[in-house]
């Protein structure tokens, strides 16, 4: 499938020559690339690194890739903006890596799985609806704009879920746990919205109905 260059941006409003239809409500364009996360930057140890898919898998088994095996997965590319809930947006990123759909095809969920918890180093987590994980623009990224990620930006692997606020994309991601019952992740437990759609400005948990 010709999926490179998949574009996660909203369609622009008719006749707009500027970027006004491009930014979700309350966001502003950020020049450069800020570093934002909770806690320390983990040190990458290739011999200790693995990537796991577990929980409510189709066959009940856990899948584990070591660093070398993960490199053999088919790669793809997604062009997408990043929207942080703290109101900055980083435009025109090309993320490359392993598209979530590819990973889910290799390690599918059980029929009754509805959500996924995505786990990173030091216990950081973010929950997603399965549909959000399966969006064609959701990608486990190794590179941005052709450059390998730096340690502070998530090397060796970070999730990008461009249609949701960026906290839904863990840097230093290590696992996907399929869930049959939704559970809140790290920021979702700390007052942030369970879904986090920037176009609906779903920032905080008190906005949930
Ligand atoms: N592991 C981990 N991933 C994380 C975070 C974090 O605290 N820990 N913060 C998220 C938030 S809120 C944002 S805005 C982006 C920031 O990515 P950047 O530092 O590459 O700009 O990382 C996301 N991924
Ligand atoms: Mo953020």
């Amino acid at each position: 499938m010709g999926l490179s260059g998949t574009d996660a941006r909203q369609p622009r409003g008719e006749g707009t020559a500027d970027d006004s239809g491009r930014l979700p409500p309350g966001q502003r364009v950020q020049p450069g690339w800020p570093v934002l996360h909770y806690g320390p930057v983990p040190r990458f140890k290739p011999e200790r690194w693995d990537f796991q898919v577990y929980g409510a898998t189709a066959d009940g088994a856990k899948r584990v890739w070591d660093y070398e095996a993960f490199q053999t997965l088919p790669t793809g590319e997604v062009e997408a903006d990043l929207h942080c809930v703290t109101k900055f947006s980083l435009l025109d990123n090309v993320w490359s890596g392993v598209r979530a759909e590819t990973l889910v095809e290799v390690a599918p969920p059980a029929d009754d799985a509805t959500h996924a918890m995505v786990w990173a180093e030091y216990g950081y987590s973010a929950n997603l609806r399965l549909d959000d994980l399966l969006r064609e623009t959701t990608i486990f990224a190794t590179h941005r704009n052709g450059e390998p990620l730096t340690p502070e930006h998530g090397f060796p692997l970070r999730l990008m879920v461009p249609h949701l606020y960026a906290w839904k994309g863990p840097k230093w991601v290590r696992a996907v746990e399929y869930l049959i019952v939704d559970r809140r992740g790290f920021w979702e437990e700390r007052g942030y919205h369970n879904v986090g759609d920037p176009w609906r400005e779903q920032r905080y948990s008190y906005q949930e109905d």
Side-chain angles (χ1 to χ4, degrees):
M1 288 189 285
L3 284 155
S4 64
T6 303
D7 196 327
R9 293 171 301 181
Q10 293 291 104
R12 288 163 193 245
E14 227 177 311
T16 50
D18 63 337
D19 277 344
S20 56
R22 174 90 177 266
L23 282 179
Q27 297 294 114
R28 57 186 156 64
V29 175
Q30 171 76 44
W33 189 8
V35 172
L36 203 72
H37 56 263
Y38 178 84
V41 174
R43 195 142 61 91
F44 174 58
K45 302 182 191 82
E47 69 287 355
R48 299 259 297 273
W49 191 94
D50 65 9
F51 191 88
Q52 306 192 352
V53 179
Y54 64 99
T57 58
D59 60 3
K62 178 200 271 194
R63 288 291 310 264
V64 184
W65 291 262
D66 63 17
Y67 190 61
E68 206 183 308
F70 198 86
Q71 310 307 311
T72 67
L73 289 168
T75 57
E77 208 170 80
V78 168
E79 184 181 342
D81 301 337
L82 176 156
H83 307 297
C84 173
V85 71
T86 65
K87 303 200 166 178
F88 74 80
S89 291
L90 192 67
L91 306 185
D92 294 323
N93 314 291
V94 177
W95 304 101
S96 42
V98 178
R99 292 175 55 255
E101 200 177 60
T102 303
L103 202 78
V104 169
E105 271 167 27
V106 187
D111 288 342
D112 54 353
T114 56
H115 292 76
M117 191 70 82
V118 182
W119 290 99
E121 303 285 356
Y122 300 136
Y124 183 90
S125 61
N127 58 317
L128 294 170
R129 299 170 298 194
L130 221 43
D131 285 351
D132 292 320
L133 184 67
L134 284 167
R135 201 65 82 88
E136 65 170 356
T137 47
T138 300
I139 185 166
F140 290 88
T142 55
H143 292 69
R144 174 181 176 262
N145 298 345
E147 300 286 337
L149 297 174
T150 56
E152 60 272 21
H153 287 298
F155 180 82
L157 193 67
R158 73 179 295 170
L159 182 62
M160 284 304 310
V161 190
H163 68 286
L164 300 179
Y165 284 120
W167 88 76
K168 291 288 188 178
K171 304 194 273 193
W172 317 293
V173 61
R174 293 288 302 275
V176 171
E177 177 190 6
Y178 292 131
L179 306 174
I180 57 169
V181 178
D182 192 18
R183 254 172 29 224
R184 303 182 81 94
F186 182 86
W187 288 118
E188 295 82 4
E189 273 188 329
R190 288 166 176 77
Y192 287 90
H193 197 280
N194 197 44
V195 175
D197 179 348
W199 299 96
R200 303 172 70 186
E201 226 177 331
Q202 295 174 332
R203 297 178 190 274
Y204 308 109
S205 52
Y206 66 74
Q207 299 170 291
E208 293 168 21
D209 18 60

